[in-house]
Amino acid sequence: MASRKASASRYDKDLHGPLRVVGEGFHAQVWERVSRVPRGSVTTYGDVAAALGLASVARQVGWALAALPPGQDTVPWQRVVNAAGQISERGNGARSTVQGKLLAAEGVELTDTGRVIDFAAKRHKFDVT
DNA sequence: CGGCTGACGACCT
DNA sequence: GAGGTCGCCAGCC
């Protein structure tokens, strides 16, 4: 992101065998989980990933949501924020503004710094299934 | 194949 | 609480 040291030699996937965690139905699984988040509650990328049994693919969750068609209303992507309870800018301030507006309409207010008020209490807990 | 960049997270200062 | 670093996986050039 910002800077980070360049990856040593990327990742030795062959060293760990079939470590490919993100497969074909990954997007669908992410969208289904997000769709289960009740109105007025929020969740994090990490929580969604953990709910899928993939605790270290929070980044891919955001990647999956980014693949959603703009303006779609079937998946409440606005209820997904980062672990700090803040809305990510993802380079485009327009979308983050819309997200904050949608959340406000659901009763989820944000502070001046863009952080969800009482985040810990509004944070949704996924079923362990 | 090498190097960078992300809708992220945990840790450290 | 704020800001910087490292680690993860995937997509691009």
Side-chain angles (χ1 to χ4, degrees), chain A residues 38-113:
Chain A
R39 184 174 178 284
S41 294
V42 295
T43 188
T44 71
Y45 301 93
D47 282 354
V48 174
L52 296 176
L54 305 170
S56 58
V57 295
R59 213 158 198 162
Q60 278 55 248
V61 172
W63 166 65
L65 262 48
L68 282 170
Q72 63 75 36
D73 58 342
T74 57
V75 181
W77 57 270
Q78 70 274 19
R79 293 171 194 160
V80 185
V81 297
N82 61 29
Q86 297 178 300
I87 295 175
S88 300
E89 305 250 338
R90 54 211 185 273
N92 189 331
R95 300 228 184 196
S96 60
T97 300
V98 174
Q99 179 169 10
K101 209 175 174 184
L102 289 171
L103 287 176
E106 301 182 349
V108 179
E109 298 178 81
L110 306 175
T111 64
D112 292 8
T113 55

Side-chain angles (χ1 to χ4, degrees), chain A residues 10 14 22 45 52 90 95 108 111 118 124 127-128:
Chain A
R10 191 160 182 174
D14 293 325
V22 179
Y45 301 93
L52 296 176
R90 54 211 185 273
R95 300 228 184 196
V108 179
T111 64
D118 204 6
H124 176 66
D127 299 329
V128 187

